[in-house]
Each structure stands twice: as C-alpha cells, then as structure tokens.
Amino acid sequence: MTLGFGVVGTGAIGREHIKRITKTLTGADIVAVTDVNQELAEKTIGDLDLNANVYEDDSALLQDDNVQAVLVTSWGPAHESTVLKAIEAGKFVFVEKPLATTAEGCMRIVEAEQKHGKRLVQVGFMRRYDNGYRQMKQAIENNFIGEPLMVRCAHRNPEVGERYTLDMAILDTLIHEIDTLHWLVGDDYKSIQVTYPKKTSKALEHLRDPQIVTLETKSGIIIHAEIFVNCQFGYDIQCEVIGEEGIVKLPEVPTLEYRKDGVLGSGILQDWQNRFNDAFNNEFQDFIDSVRHKGEPQGPSSWDGYIAAVTGDAGVKAQKSEKVEPIELPDRPEFYQQKKSEEI
Ligand code: NAD
Ligand code: NAI
Ligand code: ISE
C-alpha cells in the first residue's frame, strides 16, 4: 500500500516536501492539496505535475478516502485547527513546527490524540534526523564524554525580512534548538534567560539581534545558545557538548574546498533547505515507513511539540523581563513514553 498524503498549505516548504515525497522518497504519493490561496494550490498541481485533487479547504480534503495522512505546511497559526480535524477523522498527521502557536493549543492536540488511543501525529523537528546530531547523541549515550556539563551552540541566518518579529527568534528559530537539545542530552529544562549583546546595525529597527539564550536543565547542565538572524555570511548551525571527559561537536557540512587567489577556503551554506535536506528526507522516509509498517509514527510527538511550546512561551517572557524564567512541565504521560529501541 502506498501512503496517500493530502497537503494543507502549498507554500515554500509545502512544495519542497511535495517534491521530496514524489521525486526522492519511496512508499508515498500526493493525492490531494489545498491552500487558502486556491490559485496557488491549482498552480502547484501543474508546476509539480501531480495527479491530485484540489480541495477548497482542509475539511473537504479530509473527507477524501484516499487521504491517509495529512501534511500540514500552512502557516503556524493555522496548524492547530487542521491537526485537530485530522485526528477527529482518524488520519495520520505530519505537521511542520510549530504544532500549535500556544501551549494550550498543543495540549488540546495531546488530549485529542490520547482520546483517539494511538499515536497519529509527528512534528517536523527534523534535526533529530540529521546525521551529525545523531552521532553526537550516540556518543553521549555511550558515555564517550562522560556526563554532559555544558552546551554551546549557535543558530545563524544570513538575514531576515520585515515580517520577522522579536518573538520569532524564540518561537520560529530557537525552537529547533529547544527541541533538539533536551533530546540530545537526555534531560528536561528548568529555566530560561535572554540577554542582548550590542545590536548589529544590519538588523531592522524593530528587532534586537543577536540574542543570547541561557537554558538550564534539571540536572544543572547550562546551555548557551546564540541566535543571530542577520549574520550576513551564511546559514550556520553550531553545537558543542562539553562533558566530564571530553567534547563532542556537530560536524561542519562539507562543501567544496578551493585554492584560488592566494586563499585556501571552503564555502558556507546559505539556507536551511540545503543544510538540512538529508534530515528532511530521513524524517519523511521514517514517517512513511513507520506508518505503513508499524501503524504509528515514531518521530517527534505531540508531547515534544507541547514541550517546545511551553519552553518557547517561557523564552518569550524572558525576552521581555530579561530575568531567569522557570519552565514548568508536567511529567511525560505513559502514552508518549517510547521504547528505547524505537526512540528518535
Ligand atoms: P509559506 O507562507 O510559504 O506557505 C504557507 C502556505 O500555507 C501558504 O501558501 C498559505 O497560503 C497556506 N496556508 C496558510 N494557512 C492555511 C490553511 N489554513 N489552509 C491551507 N493553506 C494555508 O510558509 P512556509 O515557509 O512554507 O512555512 C510553512 C510552515 O513550515 C511553517 O509552519 C514554518 O514554521 C514551517 N517551516 C519549517 C522549517 C523547518 O526547518 N522545519 C523551515 C521553514 C518553514
Ligand atoms: P509559506 O508562507 O511559504 O507557506 C504557507 C502556506 O500556507 C501559504 O501558501 C498559505 O497560503 C497557506 N496557508 C495559510 N493558512 C492556511 C490555511 N488555513 N489553510 C490552507 N493553507 C493555508 O510558509 P513556509 O515557509 O512554507 O512555512 C510553512 C510552515 O513550515 C511553517 O509552520 C514554518 O514554521 C514551517 N517551516 C519549517 C521549517 C523547518 O526547518 N522545519 C523551515 C521553514 C518553515
Ligand atoms: C525557519 O522557519 C526555520 O525553521 C529555519 O530552520 C530557521 O533557521 C529559521 O530561522 C526559521 O525562520
């Protein structure tokens, strides 16, 4: 059986994911699409040469029996409503981050999924599928560096446009570190603080950029994360975990090394699409295979989406107060405990 996807939101990343599902991956196809911009949905069918129905909205798309899984790539504020409708219809869901824009919204999804009785939802936190991060996690779990004590990381984008607001530094950008780092060190967050270094002249009036975020975990690991979204030079993701006996560092992504005009150099990638292309492919292939062969997705769950939202809310509070803000999370429900062998 090929998994039939219905796509809600045929914008930038929706189209990227459609291309990877139809051209690169195996076991799935696109059978339906919708977008609030109907012209764009129609155009997507033609541009990407799809044999799929175009629906006027997500409710109509969900009624198509050929839609077994829904790919939610609309903008963040629209995610919750579509995910809840999909759970109600008993369909699998792959939803881009954020799961919902509020912690309450994420909790409504968590509750609906538990009521349904089995996992249906996976959230698009693709870094867990990046080979570099996976090697780091394996090394930490194998006790290669002893107990982790500190983490230093950076999330740099070359530039952002006018629509990028201050809170997006946490909710749209740092959200990836928020998800990845507690998974990487196997600990839960306790608090978050934001401080602002000297502002770059390259940032627009309404922004403060760069920002330094300090997260502390329950066992006392201190994480220093730099967010710098107008760094000019490229898309640059750094991460290093310092342990009692050594350090593991996220490998640089190899690019062409050159010798020219007296310089020995190599390029820096410019966007997240290129940097995480393999991770995106891995996460989708895992979602497709798990749903088809195990009857449930295994990647980042609604509970992980909820953790990110609670931490993100505390982060936005910390941006305003510039104080240490607590992160209060209930224990992970039994429903979302994964068997060690299935952990992503
Ligand atoms: P986009 O604006 O290019 O595309 C969103 C599309 O969704 C638009 O075409 C819009 O018309 C449509 N849309 C919005 N609400 C809708 C609704 N209710 N029903 C149907 N269509 C709707 O945005 P994008 O850059 O493609 O981002 C989409 C999502 O992907 C966001 O949630 C974003 O956070 C996420 N994203 C994730 C990553 C990542 O690294 N994982 C990177 C970029 C974007
Ligand atoms: P986009 O703006 O290019 O596309 C969003 C699309 O959704 C638009 O076409 C819009 O018309 C449509 N849309 C909005 N509301 C809708 C609704 N209610 N019903 C149907 N369609 C609707 O945005 P982009 O960049 O593609 O981002 C989409 C999502 O992907 C966001 O949630 C974003 O956070 C996430 N994203 C994730 C990334 C990652 O690294 N995992 C990277 C970039 C984006
Ligand atoms: C974008 O939405 C992403 O998810 C990218 O991975 C991130 O680097 C960027 O800052 C976000 O805007």
Side-chain angles (χ1 to χ4, degrees):
M1 173 213 64
T2 302
L3 187 70
F5 272 104
V7 183
V8 180
T10 50
I13 203 166
R15 286 166 161 247
E16 288 289 319
H17 289 339
I18 290 174
K19 280 190 256 175
R20 80 180 76 254
I21 289 167
T22 53
K23 307 248 187 302
T24 310
L25 307 180
T26 57
D29 211 348
I30 308 298
V31 295
V33 300
T34 186
D35 196 299
V36 280
N37 177 350
Q38 282 280 292
E39 266 177 43
L40 185 63
E42 297 279 359
K43 191 168 172 313
T44 303
I45 298 283
D47 289 352
L48 304 184
D49 196 20
L50 303 177
N51 180 16
N53 294 319
V54 181
Y55 288 101
E56 62 177 15
D57 59 21
D58 53 1
S59 303
L61 175 140
L62 282 162
Q63 281 175 24
D64 185 333
D65 287 338
N66 292 321
V67 173
Q68 293 153 321
V70 187
L71 170 55
V72 185
T73 43
S74 56
W75 49 59
H79 290 185
E80 180 189 345
S81 158
T82 302
V83 175
L84 285 172
K85 285 182 209 168
I87 293 173
E88 180 73 31
K91 312 250 180 187
F92 294 104
V93 183
F94 185 100
V95 52
E96 262 303 341
K97 40 73 49 172
L99 174 60
T101 48
T102 62
E104 294 75 27
C106 291
M107 187 46 91
R108 280 190 282 276
I109 292 171
V110 160
E111 283 166 357
E113 193 179 34
Q114 290 189 68
K115 197 163 149 229
H116 174 79
K118 70 167 192 169
R119 270 197 64 185
L120 292 174
V121 181
Q122 176 162 333
V123 185
F125 287 130
M126 74 294 177
R127 286 198 194 176
R128 296 189 188 199
Y129 291 91
D130 175 79
N131 280 334
Y133 279 112
R134 290 183 85 101
Q135 285 176 53
M136 289 175 82
K137 182 163 171 69
Q138 206 160 48
I140 292 167
E141 283 181 352
N142 292 343
N143 210 26
F144 184 62
I145 57 165
E147 276 297 302
L149 308 172
M150 298 171 267
V151 180
R152 264 200 297 263
C153 55
H155 187 150
R156 304 183 182 118
N157 289 225
E159 59 181 357
V160 291
E162 270 193 25
R163 278 176 20 186
Y164 191 98
T165 49
L166 184 73
D167 60 344
M168 285 172 75
I170 304 288
L171 301 176
D172 201 53
T173 298
L174 186 80
I175 202 84
H176 287 293
E177 274 75 16
I178 289 176
D179 176 67
T180 312
L181 297 177
H182 76 86
W183 162 84
L184 188 65
V185 298
D187 201 353
D188 293 322
Y189 299 128
K190 188 168 84 179
S191 68
I192 185 164
Q193 184 177 23
V194 179
T195 49
Y196 301 100
K198 181 174 175 176
K199 179 178 164 173
T200 168
S201 63
K202 310 287 182 189
L204 294 172
E205 180 75 20
H206 68 279
L207 270 194
R208 296 184 78 170
D209 186 43
Q211 302 180 30
I212 305 283
V213 178
T214 307
L215 280 153
E216 185 173 355
T217 70
K218 286 190 175 151
S219 77
I221 301 170
I222 299 278
I223 298 166
H224 276 159
E226 170 199 319
I227 312 167
F228 190 9
V229 292
N230 290 281
C231 80
Q232 311 294 300
F233 62 81
Y235 185 75
D236 188 27
I237 303 298
Q238 301 288 332
C239 183
E240 131 178 289
V241 179
I242 298 108
E244 286 175 324
E245 294 166 24
I247 293 175
V248 282
K249 192 173 184 310
L250 190 66
E252 290 291 343
V253 182
T255 56
L256 183 71
E257 188 180 293
Y258 62 85
R259 286 164 167 79
K260 196 173 177 206
D261 299 334
V263 174
L264 168 60
S266 59
I268 301 176
L269 295 177
Q270 295 298 306
D271 56 51
W272 49 264
Q273 287 97 326
N274 270 325
R275 170 63 182 85
F276 287 111
N277 189 44
D278 289 347
F280 283 121
N281 284 340
N282 294 342
E283 77 171 342
F284 269 96
Q285 194 64 65
D286 179 57
F287 177 82
I288 294 165
D289 294 346
S290 300
V291 164
R292 286 177 73 211
H293 305 305
K294 297 181 180 148
E296 277 189 347
Q298 297 189 144
S301 66
S302 302
W303 189 256
D304 293 310
Y306 173 71
I307 294 177
V310 170
T311 309
D313 285 351
V316 172
K317 206 166 162 200
Q319 279 184 318
K320 292 181 188 132
S321 72
E322 294 182 48
K323 296 205 170 87
V324 177
E325 297 291 347
I327 298 167
E328 276 149 22
L329 280 163
D331 289 338
R332 186 179 282 262
E334 183 67 27
F335 185 86
Y336 293 105
Q337 307 279 359
Q338 270 184 328
K339 291 180 212 93
K340 218 42 197 160
S341 61
E342 290 179 347
E343 222 166 67
I344 303 286

